[in-house]
Amino acid sequence: MEQVNFFENSLFYEKAEKTFLVHKKIIKERMPEADVQHVGSTAVPNSLTKFRYTSAC
């Protein structure tokens, strides 16, 4: 069985949000009609996370 470690989101939130904004800009340049959302625990301030960055269109 795989060991899963959780971390305080405060360690990653700012970097994850900046990464999302970079990816969102690139996606919107190529697909202006796309609804790009930052989802998952890295999108929620003060949550626990496994730090898997997730975005969805």
Side-chain angles (χ1 to χ4, degrees), residues 37-53:
Q37 301 291 322
H38 185 183
V39 298
S41 61
T42 58
V44 181
N46 303 316
S47 64
L48 292 177
T49 181
K50 294 185 284 182
F51 193 62
R52 290 189 179 158
Y53 173 77

Side-chain angles (χ1 to χ4, degrees), residues 5-49:
N5 297 305
F6 291 92
F7 303 93
E8 290 289 331
N9 190 346
S10 60
L11 299 171
F12 307 107
Y13 180 77
E14 188 174 318
K15 186 170 186 174
E17 186 64 17
K18 286 180 182 177
T19 301
F20 165 71
L21 293 174
V22 168
H23 290 174
K24 180 178 180 177
K25 183 177 184 290
I26 292 167
I27 293 166
K28 294 293 278 184
E29 287 171 354
R30 289 165 175 76
M31 298 184 300
E33 70 286 353
D35 178 18
V36 184
Q37 301 291 322
H38 185 183
V39 298
S41 61
T42 58
V44 181
N46 303 316
S47 64
L48 292 177
T49 181

